[in-house]
Amino acid sequence: MYMKKTTLRVGGMHCASCAVNIEKVLKKTPGVASASVNFATQKATIEHAEHVHAHELMAAVGNAGYSAFEQGVAHMHVEESTDVRNDLLVAAPLALAVFALSMFMEGVPPILLFLLALPVQFWAGRRFYVRTWAALKRGSADMDVLVAIGTSAAFFYSAAVTFGLLEGSLYYDGAAVIIAFILLGRYLEARSRSLTGEAVRKLMDLQPKKARVMRNGREVYVAVELLKVGDVFLVKPGERVATDGTVIAGDSAVDESMVTGESMPVEKRKGDAVVGGTVNGNGALRVRATRVGSETMLAQIVKLVEDAQAAKAPVQLLADKIAAVFVPVVIVLAFASSAYWLLVAKASFDFTLTIFVSVLIVACPCALGLAMPVAVLVGTGKGAEHGILIKGGDALEAAGKIDTVVFDKTGTLTKGKPEVTDVVAFAKADVLRLAAIAEKNSEHPLALAIMSKAGRVPNPSRFKSIAGKGVKARHGGREIAVGSRRMVRASREAEKTAARLEAEGKTVVFVGVSGKCVGVIAIADTLKEHAADAVAALKRKGFNVAMITGDNRRTAQAIAAEVGVGNVLAEVLPAEKEREVAKLQKKGRNVAFVGDGVNDAPALARAELGIALGSGTDVAMEAGGIVLVRNDLRDVVNAINLSRYTLRKIRENLFWAFAYNVAAIPVAAGALYSYGILLDPMVAGVAMAFSSVSVVGNALLMRRWKPEKV
């Protein structure tokens, strides 16, 4: 039988167990051979018979209580976060009103509380009932089941009291506040996941929308999607290259840093390859297309980002792990304890109902629902205060497991732009000033570095740029030449000095006056301030530290020695960066990747934790789980410290939330009734509130966190 593969975007997942549930439903669909659902990317990949249509698969997902789309991932996440936000806008003010009236005002008519809580329970909280019904049909239980049963028990018990069917206390505030807080957590999750689609979209935006193509001897604009292999297109100064190709005419320097990580623009002439999306310098190029559409390097980078994100292990939040066992146990205990009192102890129905409601109320997952979002809110707020943006629970969980930190070189450990580092004169001449005069009319990055160092200089009387060699100029009756060995004939002394500087990973420019070499200027991408401090601090904490770069090996080794990194991977292309991270992972390493460029996006996505610099590209920042706004590498250490601290607080919160329930449930079930101790619904509500207060209080202690002095 011929099999085909369909990929759907799934909405409504909030934990790894959701992905497992959807997989089970899809696998039971007739004609489906296999199904894989990834919570991190919100994708379902299904292998199925040809006669099975996508709408049947989407219907199966819908029957499980979730939604499925064939449209773009970013659009799906916008819909999901908007849906949760709208419910939250209903639940939050009404829950606050119910809470305030219940806690701070006496004599409030119960019917008023009922009317305020009603839309929270059955409109804003309808998703919990839908998914509970779907879960029960599957014979499983998750957090939604406990939320639905727990809040329903509180609401319906309160409603029975309100309408005179029972005597007791009201718990409308508990039910409404629980729903509002859990919706807040779901909204934050949905917003965080929307960044995945943004990263891919911004990568695609780097490709020009149109190309200037030669057709029948004339220039015409065509959509890039319509380009064919063999088409000849023009690239004017400052424009992006339309697609991958080979230069057939023209000379220019092309900035390829977005795909190679190489900080220096690369000279291009006839026969050289160019990459789509890279930025042309000050020359015009005529290029023949060699790869188009999905075959281009940019398209391959997009695919790498998507594949790397899909390869991440599904995030399994601790609250859901606990709930997977806790929920069915609580439900069984509630029914079992009430059945015991009714059938064995021959207690009254009112007493039995009190036992049932008490167990469910004290077990209601308010504290479990608060454990993660409150800690994340405080932790991320504290991080933002210090220029560290943590995108959510995924990054926190990953930071707790990291043992290896891999740095990109260009723009991450280094400044990403050339600077003059050495000026060596072989005669009585102001070498830097002479070079700056000659380069004043040039826009080459090396020329800009020289002029930036020299300051203001006079204009030359004559200027000529020679592609691939350098420049010639005339000033004060003398001819000045600046460039490579092909432009200036170097003396033995100059060659010896140049060799020493080049061994340090620097680019050497020769300066000649009237045919004689008078000096050399060394230019390099210099190390960022505090880069060495950050590396040293990570090594002291026991992390394995590595550096990866698209630069040549000599330059990479020189920077690595200066910063204190022993493990160096040089001349690595974008796809290889991602593969190198994958190799480390196969060796059992948990990797944090620190980068700033488009070429880093696949590696940022592949790593357990991507840390992007705020000074870098939007794509890198979207692909990273943590963004360092201040561009200070010491914040890599602080980001990991804060993430681990926040994760520890989440675990503590979950422990206390769970511990209160474990201790209180037997009391609520009547285990101590023979000693005159009974946890009635009112006391159960207080116990539940106390567990929530302890969780919030523990999270607020995080406000004392301060960055480490690196």
Side-chain angles (χ1 to χ4, degrees):
M1 181 188 296
Y2 177 74
M3 306 299 288
K4 63 185 291 189
K5 190 175 286 187
T6 297
T7 300
L8 299 177
R9 315 288 184 174
V10 181
M13 291 195 292
H14 62 270
C15 66
S17 62
C18 294
V20 174
N21 291 335
I22 295 169
E23 277 185 8
K24 289 178 181 177
V25 170
L26 286 169
K27 286 175 181 177
K28 290 179 181 178
T29 304
V32 172
S34 66
S36 175
V37 181
N38 187 287
F39 169 63
T41 59
Q42 303 285 284
K43 285 183 182 180
T45 303
I46 308 104
E47 191 175 6
H48 56 88
E50 193 172 12
H51 69 269
V52 178
H53 297 288
H55 65 81
E56 296 176 67
L57 301 173
M58 288 187 283
V61 175
N63 291 334
Y66 304 90
S67 55
F69 306 83
E70 285 188 289
Q71 61 209 53
V73 65
H75 179 60
M76 183 271 287
H77 282 308
V78 169
E79 282 187 353
E80 182 186 350
S81 62
T82 301
D83 185 37
V84 179
R85 183 198 64 194
N86 291 341
D87 287 343
L88 181 61
L89 290 175
V90 172
L94 291 175
L96 182 62
V98 173
F99 179 78
L101 290 172
S102 300
M103 296 295 292
F104 306 115
M105 295 187 69
E106 294 182 4
V108 177
I111 190 66
L112 175 60
L113 297 177
F114 171 81
L115 293 173
L116 289 172
L118 190 66
V120 178
Q121 190 71 35
F122 298 108
W123 175 254
R126 68 193 181 282
R127 68 185 64 241
F128 302 115
Y129 290 101
V130 171
R131 291 175 188 168
T132 293
W133 176 242
L136 294 177
K137 285 194 297 183
R138 294 192 306 269
S140 62
D142 55 18
M143 198 69 142
D144 286 330
V145 175
L146 195 54
V147 172
I149 294 179
T151 58
S152 295
F155 181 87
F156 285 116
Y157 178 83
S158 301
V161 173
T162 299
F163 293 104
L165 301 176
L166 293 172
E167 290 185 1
S169 302
L170 301 177
Y171 300 101
Y172 292 123
D173 54 337
V177 169
I178 288 167
I179 289 173
F181 266 116
I182 292 176
L183 286 174
L184 174 62
R186 301 282 169 87
Y187 173 68
L188 294 175
E189 289 172 10
R191 288 288 298 162
S192 176
R193 288 198 299 268
S194 69
L195 297 174
T196 299
E198 286 294 302
V200 175
R201 183 184 62 77
K202 288 183 177 180
L203 274 172
M204 294 303 296
D205 285 347
L206 291 173
Q207 186 177 49
K209 299 295 182 286
K210 291 186 177 181
R212 192 184 290 104
V213 181
M214 298 300 298
R215 294 275 168 86
N216 300 321
R218 293 173 46 224
E219 290 183 26
V220 294
Y221 281 99
V222 300
V224 169
E225 293 81 7
L226 300 179
L227 281 177
K228 296 176 292 185
V229 173
D231 279 344
V232 175
F233 60 92
L234 301 179
V235 188
K236 292 191 175 181
E239 291 183 344
R240 287 189 181 273
V241 178
T243 192
D244 297 0
T246 302
V247 177
I248 60 173
D251 293 286
S252 187
V254 176
D255 180 359
E256 295 186 336
S257 59
M258 59 159 271
V259 291
T260 66
E262 176 67 60
S263 54
M264 302 291 185
V266 181
E267 297 288 344
K268 300 291 183 182
R269 57 180 61 84
K270 185 177 180 179
D272 290 338
V274 289
V275 178
T278 55
V279 181
N280 187 26
N282 56 5
L285 297 174
R286 185 169 295 195
V287 181
R288 177 172 283 112
T290 56
R291 290 186 294 188
V292 298
S294 62
E295 300 301 316
T296 65
M297 184 176 289
L298 185 60
Q300 291 301 310
I301 290 176
V302 170
K303 185 176 185 300
L304 283 169
V305 173
E306 291 185 319
D307 290 349
Q309 289 172 333
K312 284 182 177 178
V315 177
Q316 181 79 40
L317 298 179
L318 293 175
D320 297 297
K321 293 178 182 177
I322 294 170
V325 177
F326 185 56
V327 173
V329 169
V330 167
I331 295 170
V332 170
L333 282 175
F335 280 103
S337 57
S338 57
Y340 168 81
W341 286 105
L342 182 65
L343 303 176
V344 179
K346 305 298 182 181
S348 67
F349 180 77
D350 284 353
F351 182 85
T352 301
L353 185 60
T354 297
I355 292 290
F356 180 76
V357 173
S358 293
V359 171
L360 287 177
I361 288 178
V362 82
C364 202
C366 187
L368 281 172
L370 286 170
M372 182 171 176
V374 174
V376 169
L377 283 172
V378 178
T380 52
K382 200 67 185 173
E385 207 177 295
H386 296 281
I388 300 167
L389 303 184
I390 303 171
K391 292 186 178 178
D394 297 17
L396 294 171
E397 191 170 46
K401 303 173 184 175
I402 295 304
D403 54 35
T404 301
V405 180
V406 179
F407 285 93
D408 171 55
K409 183 189 80 70
T410 305
T412 302
L413 286 172
T414 65
K415 295 177 181 177
K417 63 178 183 178
E419 291 183 357
V420 172
T421 59
D422 303 83
V423 179
V424 182
F426 305 123
K428 289 184 178 181
D430 189 341
V431 175
L432 183 63
R433 184 172 183 273
L434 289 169
I437 292 171
E439 296 276 19
K440 190 166 186 181
N441 293 325
S442 173
E443 294 182 1
H444 194 283
L446 297 183
L448 297 176
I450 290 171
M451 288 184 286
S452 175
K453 183 74 172 180
R456 297 184 64 180
V457 294
N459 292 316
S461 57
R462 195 165 52 202
F463 171 83
K464 182 180 181 183
S465 176
I466 303 172
K469 293 184 178 181
V471 299
K472 284 185 177 180
R474 194 163 186 84
H475 176 71
R478 296 184 296 176
E479 186 178 81
I480 307 169
V482 181
S484 66
R485 292 173 175 83
R486 291 186 292 173
M487 177 64 77
V488 179
R489 182 176 295 178
S491 63
R492 183 177 297 177
E493 184 181 14
E495 285 288 5
K496 185 177 179 181
T497 302
R500 174 179 59 81
L501 293 169
E502 287 172 340
E504 296 173 4
K506 298 171 182 176
T507 300
V508 176
V509 173
F510 294 84
V511 181
V513 176
S514 301
K516 180 182 178 182
C517 181
V518 296
V520 295
I521 298 174
I523 300 171
D525 184 7
T526 56
L527 206 62
K528 279 183 181 175
E529 188 181 10
H530 306 307
D533 296 333
V535 170
L538 289 168
K539 289 166 73 174
R540 282 196 305 271
K541 289 178 176 292
F543 290 100
N544 297 295
V545 182
M547 186 185 82
I548 193 166
T549 179
D551 276 358
N552 64 72
R553 185 162 300 280
R554 183 171 57 191
T555 300
Q557 291 287 1
I559 290 292
E562 192 177 351
V563 79
V565 176
N567 186 8
V568 182
L569 295 164
E571 300 173 8
V572 180
L573 295 175
E576 292 169 347
K577 283 187 180 183
E578 181 265 345
R579 284 200 294 269
E580 290 298 334
V581 170
K583 285 180 185 177
L584 289 170
Q585 291 170 327
K586 287 179 181 177
K587 293 177 182 177
R589 299 288 188 186
N590 289 299
V591 181
F593 188 91
V594 187
D596 75 314
V598 172
N599 62 299
D600 299 326
L604 284 165
R606 168 68 70 180
E608 278 79 8
L609 177 63
I611 301 178
L613 300 187
S615 62
T617 64
D618 287 344
V619 175
M621 288 189 285
E622 298 295 355
I626 293 178
V627 178
L628 307 181
V629 176
R630 298 188 305 189
N631 199 30
D632 188 334
L633 288 177
R634 292 176 298 181
D635 283 342
V636 172
V637 182
N638 290 320
I640 294 175
N641 287 346
L642 178 58
S643 296
R644 290 186 166 187
Y645 180 57
T646 306
L647 185 62
R648 188 169 77 247
K649 285 297 180 183
I650 291 171
R651 287 172 175 156
E652 290 174 3
N653 283 351
L654 290 171
F655 170 78
W656 287 114
F658 188 57
Y660 276 118
N661 285 325
V662 169
I665 287 172
V667 182
L672 301 180
Y673 183 64
S674 60
Y675 298 96
I677 301 174
L678 179 64
L679 194 62
D680 65 18
M682 182 175 179
V683 179
V686 172
M688 181 185 69
F690 183 65
S691 68
S692 301
V693 169
S694 69
V695 163
V696 174
N698 189 43
L700 291 177
L701 292 175
M702 297 169 59
R703 296 170 66 183
R704 299 181 299 181
W705 181 86
K706 291 182 180 179
E708 177 183 340
K709 291 184 179 180
V710 179

